[in-house]
Amino acid sequence: MSKPGQMVLVALRKMIASGELAAGARLMEVPTAELFGVSRMPVRMAFRTLEQEGLLVRFGGRGFQVRSVSEEDIAGAVEVRGVLEGLAARQAAERGLSPAAREALQQCLAEGDQLFDKGFVTEEDLDAYHDLNMRFHQVIVAASHNPAIADALARNDHLPFASVTALAIDRHDLAREYRRFNFAHMQHHAVFDALVNGQGARAEAIMREHANATLRYAETFGSAKADPRMKVILPAS
Protein backbone atom coordinates (compact mmCIF):
# COMPACT_ATOMS: atom_id res chain seq x y z
CA MET A 1 0.00 0.00 0.00
CA SER A 2 1.21 3.52 -0.80
CA LYS A 3 2.26 5.91 1.96
CA PRO A 4 -0.91 8.06 1.53
CA GLY A 5 -3.02 4.91 1.66
CA GLN A 6 -1.27 3.74 4.82
CA MET A 7 -1.79 7.17 6.40
CA VAL A 8 -5.52 7.10 5.66
CA LEU A 9 -5.80 3.48 6.81
CA VAL A 10 -4.12 4.10 10.17
CA ALA A 11 -6.09 7.30 10.78
CA LEU A 12 -9.46 5.71 10.05
CA ARG A 13 -8.61 2.60 12.05
CA LYS A 14 -7.71 4.73 15.06
CA MET A 15 -10.93 6.74 14.73
CA ILE A 16 -12.98 3.55 14.65
CA ALA A 17 -11.10 2.13 17.64
CA SER A 18 -11.72 5.29 19.66
CA GLY A 19 -15.40 5.55 18.77
CA GLU A 20 -14.76 8.81 16.96
CA LEU A 21 -16.28 7.04 13.96
CA ALA A 22 -19.31 5.44 15.53
CA ALA A 23 -21.05 2.29 14.39
CA GLY A 24 -23.28 3.08 11.43
CA ALA A 25 -21.25 6.10 10.30
CA ARG A 26 -21.02 6.29 6.52
CA LEU A 27 -17.83 6.85 4.54
CA MET A 28 -17.59 7.95 0.92
CA GLU A 29 -14.45 8.11 -1.22
CA VAL A 30 -14.54 11.71 -2.44
CA PRO A 31 -15.19 13.55 0.86
CA THR A 32 -12.75 11.26 2.68
CA ALA A 33 -10.07 11.99 0.08
CA GLU A 34 -10.73 15.72 0.45
CA LEU A 35 -10.49 15.48 4.25
CA PHE A 36 -7.08 13.82 4.16
CA GLY A 37 -5.79 15.73 1.14
CA VAL A 38 -5.17 12.65 -0.99
CA SER A 39 -6.52 11.19 -4.22
CA ARG A 40 -9.34 8.67 -4.30
CA MET A 41 -7.08 5.65 -4.89
CA PRO A 42 -5.42 5.63 -1.42
CA VAL A 43 -8.84 6.03 0.17
CA ARG A 44 -10.23 3.17 -1.91
CA MET A 45 -7.39 0.88 -0.84
CA ALA A 46 -7.81 1.87 2.82
CA PHE A 47 -11.54 1.15 2.66
CA ARG A 48 -10.90 -2.29 1.17
CA THR A 49 -8.38 -3.15 3.88
CA LEU A 50 -10.75 -2.03 6.63
CA GLU A 51 -13.49 -4.12 5.03
CA GLN A 52 -11.18 -7.15 5.09
CA GLU A 53 -10.43 -6.45 8.75
CA GLY A 54 -14.15 -6.48 9.55
CA LEU A 55 -14.34 -2.80 10.46
CA LEU A 56 -16.31 -1.56 7.44
CA VAL A 57 -19.21 -3.05 5.50
CA ARG A 58 -20.45 -1.99 2.08
CA PHE A 59 -23.45 0.30 2.14
CA GLY A 60 -25.87 0.42 -0.77
CA GLY A 61 -23.14 0.12 -3.38
CA ARG A 62 -22.20 3.77 -2.85
CA GLY A 63 -19.79 3.62 0.03
CA PHE A 64 -19.04 1.95 3.33
CA GLN A 65 -20.46 1.96 6.81
CA VAL A 66 -18.66 1.45 10.11
CA ARG A 67 -19.52 -1.97 11.44
CA SER A 68 -20.95 -2.31 14.91
CA VAL A 69 -18.17 -3.82 17.02
CA SER A 70 -18.37 -4.54 20.73
CA GLU A 71 -15.49 -4.86 23.17
CA GLU A 72 -16.40 -8.54 23.40
CA ASP A 73 -15.98 -8.90 19.63
CA ILE A 74 -12.49 -7.42 19.74
CA ALA A 75 -11.49 -9.35 22.86
CA GLY A 76 -12.63 -12.66 21.41
CA ALA A 77 -10.85 -12.17 18.08
CA VAL A 78 -7.61 -11.03 19.68
CA GLU A 79 -7.67 -13.87 22.20
CA VAL A 80 -7.99 -16.36 19.35
CA ARG A 81 -5.02 -14.76 17.60
CA GLY A 82 -3.02 -15.01 20.82
CA VAL A 83 -3.80 -18.70 21.12
CA LEU A 84 -2.84 -19.37 17.49
CA GLU A 85 0.36 -17.32 17.55
CA GLY A 86 1.26 -18.80 20.91
CA LEU A 87 0.92 -22.27 19.45
CA ALA A 88 3.07 -21.23 16.48
CA ALA A 89 5.78 -19.91 18.82
CA ARG A 90 5.75 -23.08 20.92
CA GLN A 91 6.05 -25.34 17.90
CA ALA A 92 8.76 -23.14 16.38
CA ALA A 93 10.75 -23.33 19.62
CA GLU A 94 10.32 -27.09 19.88
CA ARG A 95 11.29 -27.69 16.25
CA GLY A 96 14.17 -25.25 16.37
CA LEU A 97 14.63 -22.15 14.23
CA SER A 98 16.27 -22.51 10.85
CA PRO A 99 19.26 -20.21 10.19
CA ALA A 100 17.11 -18.20 7.77
CA ALA A 101 14.29 -17.74 10.29
CA ARG A 102 16.72 -16.77 13.04
CA GLU A 103 18.40 -14.22 10.78
CA ALA A 104 15.04 -12.75 9.72
CA LEU A 105 13.93 -12.32 13.32
CA GLN A 106 17.26 -10.79 14.31
CA GLN A 107 16.92 -8.33 11.44
CA CYS A 108 13.50 -7.26 12.72
CA LEU A 109 14.91 -6.80 16.22
CA ALA A 110 17.82 -4.74 14.93
CA GLU A 111 15.50 -2.49 12.95
CA GLY A 112 13.28 -2.04 15.99
CA ASP A 113 16.25 -1.24 18.22
CA GLN A 114 17.28 1.48 15.79
CA LEU A 115 13.78 2.98 15.90
CA PHE A 116 13.43 3.02 19.67
CA ASP A 117 16.96 3.53 20.98
CA LYS A 118 16.83 7.27 20.30
CA GLY A 119 14.08 7.66 22.92
CA PHE A 120 11.26 8.88 20.70
CA VAL A 121 9.43 7.97 17.50
CA THR A 122 8.25 9.85 14.46
CA GLU A 123 5.31 9.01 12.23
CA GLU A 124 7.78 7.48 9.77
CA ASP A 125 9.17 5.30 12.57
CA LEU A 126 5.71 3.96 13.33
CA ASP A 127 5.15 3.15 9.67
CA ALA A 128 8.45 1.26 9.68
CA TYR A 129 7.46 -0.56 12.88
CA HIS A 130 4.21 -1.65 11.25
CA ASP A 131 6.20 -3.41 8.52
CA LEU A 132 8.81 -5.05 10.75
CA ASN A 133 6.14 -6.16 13.22
CA MET A 134 4.24 -7.89 10.44
CA ARG A 135 7.42 -9.63 9.23
CA PHE A 136 8.34 -10.74 12.76
CA HIS A 137 4.98 -12.42 13.31
CA GLN A 138 4.94 -13.99 9.85
CA VAL A 139 8.36 -15.57 10.39
CA ILE A 140 7.24 -17.17 13.65
CA VAL A 141 4.09 -18.59 12.09
CA ALA A 142 6.09 -19.98 9.17
CA ALA A 143 8.70 -21.42 11.56
CA SER A 144 6.02 -23.55 13.22
CA HIS A 145 5.81 -25.58 9.99
CA ASN A 146 2.10 -25.94 10.71
CA PRO A 147 0.03 -24.66 7.75
CA ALA A 148 -3.17 -25.06 9.74
CA ILE A 149 -2.10 -22.18 11.99
CA ALA A 150 -1.63 -19.81 9.04
CA ASP A 151 -5.00 -20.86 7.61
CA ALA A 152 -6.77 -20.28 10.91
CA LEU A 153 -5.10 -16.89 11.34
CA ALA A 154 -6.15 -15.86 7.84
CA ARG A 155 -9.78 -16.55 8.73
CA ASN A 156 -9.49 -14.82 12.08
CA ASP A 157 -7.88 -11.76 10.47
CA HIS A 158 -11.25 -10.82 9.00
CA LEU A 159 -12.55 -10.08 12.50
CA PRO A 160 -12.18 -6.57 13.98
CA PHE A 161 -8.66 -5.75 15.20
CA ALA A 162 -7.67 -9.41 15.05
CA SER A 163 -4.96 -9.02 12.43
CA VAL A 164 -1.40 -8.28 13.49
CA THR A 165 -1.39 -5.61 10.78
CA ALA A 166 -4.32 -3.78 12.39
CA LEU A 167 -2.27 -1.33 14.40
CA ALA A 168 -4.18 1.76 15.55
CA ILE A 169 -1.83 4.68 16.13
CA ASP A 170 -2.48 8.02 17.81
CA ARG A 171 -0.26 10.38 15.81
CA HIS A 172 -1.18 13.24 18.14
CA ASP A 173 0.50 11.62 21.15
CA LEU A 174 3.75 10.16 19.88
CA ALA A 175 5.25 10.11 23.38
CA ARG A 176 2.60 7.64 24.50
CA GLU A 177 2.97 5.65 21.30
CA TYR A 178 6.72 5.43 21.90
CA ARG A 179 6.10 3.80 25.28
CA ARG A 180 3.46 1.45 23.88
CA PHE A 181 5.41 0.20 20.89
CA ASN A 182 8.75 0.11 22.66
CA PHE A 183 7.12 -2.23 25.18
CA ALA A 184 5.83 -4.40 22.33
CA HIS A 185 9.33 -4.45 20.85
CA MET A 186 10.78 -5.63 24.16
CA GLN A 187 8.27 -8.48 24.02
CA HIS A 188 9.69 -9.36 20.60
CA HIS A 189 13.14 -9.62 22.18
CA ALA A 190 11.75 -11.85 24.93
CA VAL A 191 10.01 -14.24 22.57
CA PHE A 192 13.10 -14.45 20.37
CA ASP A 193 15.16 -15.43 23.41
CA ALA A 194 12.66 -18.16 24.22
CA LEU A 195 12.65 -19.39 20.62
CA VAL A 196 16.42 -19.70 20.26
CA ASN A 197 16.66 -21.47 23.61
CA GLY A 198 13.98 -23.99 22.75
CA GLN A 199 11.66 -22.82 25.53
CA GLY A 200 8.31 -23.68 23.99
CA ALA A 201 6.05 -22.98 26.96
CA ARG A 202 7.72 -19.61 27.60
CA ALA A 203 7.53 -18.60 23.94
CA GLU A 204 3.84 -19.50 23.86
CA ALA A 205 3.05 -17.51 27.00
CA ILE A 206 4.87 -14.40 25.75
CA MET A 207 3.12 -14.46 22.38
CA ARG A 208 -0.29 -14.83 24.01
CA GLU A 209 0.44 -11.87 26.28
CA HIS A 210 1.80 -9.93 23.32
CA ALA A 211 -1.49 -10.36 21.44
CA ASN A 212 -3.64 -9.55 24.44
CA ALA A 213 -1.85 -6.24 24.91
CA THR A 214 -3.91 -4.95 21.99
CA LEU A 215 -7.02 -5.27 24.14
CA ARG A 216 -5.96 -1.92 25.61
CA TYR A 217 -7.21 -0.10 22.51
CA ALA A 218 -10.24 1.34 24.29
CA GLU A 219 -8.17 2.86 27.09
CA THR A 220 -5.40 3.98 24.76
CA PHE A 221 -7.72 6.02 22.58
CA GLY A 222 -10.61 6.64 24.93
CA SER A 223 -9.70 10.29 25.39
CA ALA A 224 -9.74 11.09 21.69
CA LYS A 225 -12.01 13.96 20.74
CA ALA A 226 -14.13 13.97 17.64
CA ASP A 227 -12.81 16.04 14.77
CA PRO A 228 -15.64 18.36 13.71
CA ARG A 229 -14.43 18.06 10.12
CA MET A 230 -15.61 14.46 10.11
CA LYS A 231 -19.16 15.79 9.84
CA VAL A 232 -18.29 16.39 6.20
CA ILE A 233 -18.11 12.67 5.53
CA LEU A 234 -20.22 11.23 8.30
CA PRO A 235 -23.91 12.09 7.93
CA ALA A 236 -26.22 10.61 10.54
CA SER A 237 -26.95 6.97 9.87
Side-chain angles (χ1 to χ4, degrees), residues 69-76 215 218:
V69 180
S70 68
E71 291 184 10
E72 290 76 15
D73 292 333
I74 297 175
L215 294 177

Side-chain angles (χ1 to χ4, degrees), residues 115-221:
L115 292 178
F116 296 111
D117 281 352
K118 61 183 182 295
F120 64 91
V121 289
T122 64
E123 292 186 19
E124 291 73 20
D125 291 334
L126 294 177
D127 290 338
Y129 180 81
H130 173 275
D131 293 337
L132 73 86
N133 180 65
M134 181 173 60
R135 283 186 279 120
F136 188 88
H137 285 251
Q138 288 175 339
V139 170
I140 292 176
V141 172
S144 72
H145 297 286
N146 186 342
I149 295 176
D151 290 343
L153 281 169
R155 291 192 295 272
N156 195 60
D157 283 351
H158 291 290
L159 300 175
F161 290 102
S163 172
V164 70
T165 65
L167 294 177
I169 296 169
D170 187 348
R171 298 181 185 275
H172 299 292
D173 193 347
L174 292 179
R176 179 172 57 184
E177 297 301 71
Y178 169 80
R179 294 191 295 271
R180 187 160 72 99
F181 287 104
N182 184 48
F183 175 76
H185 182 60
M186 291 301 100
Q187 289 181 315
H188 283 180
H189 273 282
V191 75
F192 176 76
D193 182 73
L195 289 170
V196 297
N197 285 290
Q199 299 169 332
R202 178 175 169 235
E204 181 175 18
I206 295 171
M207 285 300 288
R208 292 187 66 163
E209 173 60 24
H210 185 56
N212 280 306
T214 61
L215 294 177
R216 311 297 291 182
Y217 276 130
E219 293 182 14
T220 301
F221 300 113

Side-chain angles (χ1 to χ4, degrees), residues 104-115 117 132 185 189:
L105 293 175
Q106 286 177 315
Q107 179 63 34
C108 291
L109 294 177
E111 292 176 18
D113 289 344
Q114 187 173 6
L115 292 178
D117 281 352
L132 73 86
H185 182 60
H189 273 282

